[in-house]
Amino acid sequence: MKKLLRFIKAKIVLIVIFLSFNMFGQCPPDGFLYLITQEDVDNFIIDYPSCTELQSLLIGDLIPSTISNLDGLINLERVDWLQLTNVPITNLQGLNNIQSIGRFVVYYVPDLLSFEGLDSLETVDGQEFRIELCNSITSFAGLENLNSFDGDYFTIDENNNLNDSNGLNCYFFSEDFRNSVINYTVQSSLNQSIFDNCGISLSLGEFNQNNIYLYPNPTKNHLNINNSEHIKEIRIYDLTGRLVKSKISNFKIVDLSSISSGEYILQIDLDSNIVLNKKLIIE
């Protein structure tokens, strides 16, 4: 009888340990976390003390939240999709152990003064890097260790007081990097700082294609280009990166009749050493 009681007690202990591990040691179901209140943030480290990776971490919403700090997220090391929206925080302290992010979006965080807290972040390897409508930031302080991005959309735009490129590696403004992404946008207020800090010229008129007009797009057999005087070369790549056409003269009309229908990347070399990337659709 005593042996039976000891056996039952041992099983109860194991069950308690198992339940505790599953309830508190793992991550939220499906790795998805949506935080609106400060209580949500604070409870994360209590409910999931061993969770270091999440598939999605959405902080805030279009409705203002009550979040004032992110300290409850200190154990996180990897997030596949991190998005902050309309959160009344001034920095990103609490995310100090995150080393890599897939999709990284900071959209309309008006009180954000710096990216301090992302000290360990080295890689953004998902589809998107986006910093937009954060009107209090003046530089990229806190992102000094970020050194790579492997995605299609790189956007820094409409941050009204952002005029200092310090904190972000010069590589992200280089020709090699600009050629590696399909959609690249950096607000013009950073142009002078990028030139001063990195020696890289991003002419607003040329780089945003304000002076070069391509039509029609989508097209069938040809592409017209206005203001082509400063073009050195045109190249067309398919989405696997294979060069399908190049042209080094007579840029006003580009014959596309030999190219199959589909989506392509049109790359334009200017005589100012700026390279433009434009999505081209051939029907």
Side-chain angles (χ1 to χ4, degrees):
M1 187 67 179
K2 289 182 178 180
K3 287 183 179 181
L4 179 60
L5 288 174
R6 283 198 298 268
F7 176 76
I8 293 173
K9 288 180 180 179
K11 292 214 56 167
I12 291 173
V13 169
L14 288 173
I15 291 171
V16 170
I17 292 173
F18 176 80
L19 290 175
S20 297
F21 176 79
N22 280 275
M23 291 175 62
F24 302 108
Q26 297 179 347
C27 295
D30 301 322
F32 181 90
L33 192 64
Y34 181 38
L35 306 177
I36 291 293
T37 68
Q38 186 61 50
E39 185 179 11
D40 293 338
V41 176
D42 296 340
N43 284 341
F44 176 73
I45 198 169
I46 298 171
D47 295 341
Y48 307 102
S50 299
C51 183
T52 60
E53 296 188 12
L54 288 173
Q55 291 185 13
S56 298
L57 174 57
L58 308 182
I59 305 173
D61 202 340
L62 294 179
I63 301 173
S65 74
T66 60
I67 297 173
S68 59
N69 70 76
L70 304 176
D71 294 343
L73 307 176
I74 194 65
N75 287 343
L76 289 174
E77 298 175 3
R78 162 76 187 181
V79 179
D80 290 341
W81 176 15
L82 173 60
Q83 178 166 321
L84 295 98
T85 305
N86 201 14
V87 186
I89 54 177
T90 58
N91 59 58
L92 300 181
Q93 295 290 345
L95 304 180
N96 305 68
N97 288 311
I98 291 183
Q99 301 169 23
S100 63
I101 297 172
R103 181 181 180 188
F104 180 51
V105 177
V106 183
Y107 180 80
Y108 187 59
V109 185
D111 298 327
L112 189 67
L113 298 174
S114 77
F115 297 94
E116 292 177 0
L118 288 177
D119 316 85
S120 300
L121 180 63
E122 297 181 354
T123 303
V124 175
D125 54 23
Q127 185 180 33
E128 182 178 17
F129 178 95
R130 182 181 181 190
I131 299 170
E132 192 170 356
L133 296 175
C134 299
N135 291 332
S136 295
I137 57 170
T138 57
S139 74
F140 299 97
L143 292 176
E144 286 82 0
N145 291 317
L146 179 63
N147 55 50
S148 69
F149 169 70
D150 184 19
D152 295 329
Y153 300 90
F154 186 91
T155 302
I156 301 169
D157 202 17
E158 296 189 72
N159 306 286
N160 289 346
N161 291 299
L162 180 58
N163 52 24
D164 187 350
S165 65
N166 276 314
L168 198 59
N169 194 311
C170 287
Y171 171 69
F172 295 110
F173 309 116
S174 69
E175 180 179 334
D176 286 346
F177 179 75
R178 298 196 309 265
N179 291 342
S180 72
V181 295
I182 294 175
N183 292 281
Y184 181 92
T185 302
V186 169
Q187 61 190 70
S188 60
S189 63
L190 289 166
N191 287 357
Q192 186 61 52
S193 177
I194 291 169
F195 182 78
D196 293 342
N197 295 332
C198 307
I200 297 171
S201 176
L202 295 184
S203 167
L204 175 63
E206 292 173 337
F207 199 78
N208 283 342
Q209 306 177 40
N210 289 347
N211 298 327
I212 297 177
Y213 302 95
L214 314 174
Y215 64 94
N217 189 11
T219 185
K220 290 186 178 179
N221 297 316
H222 69 277
L223 183 69
N224 298 307
I225 303 180
N226 281 357
N227 297 328
S228 62
E229 294 83 2
H230 298 291
I231 297 177
K232 292 194 302 183
E233 184 177 0
I234 287 176
R235 295 179 297 275
I236 299 175
Y237 297 89
D238 64 21
L239 296 186
T240 69
R242 182 176 63 92
L243 179 67
V244 297
K245 187 179 184 67
S246 63
K247 191 175 178 67
I248 58 173
S249 63
N250 301 321
F251 301 114
K252 288 186 177 181
I253 298 180
V254 181
D255 181 12
L256 304 173
S257 59
S258 63
I259 303 178
S260 302
S261 61
E263 293 186 3
Y264 296 86
I265 302 302
L266 176 69
Q267 203 169 81
I268 302 176
D269 283 10
L270 303 178
D271 54 18
S272 59
N273 293 322
I274 296 294
V275 179
L276 307 178
N277 289 294
K278 178 72 175 177
K279 186 175 182 179
L280 174 65
I281 299 176
I282 301 177
E283 296 179 332

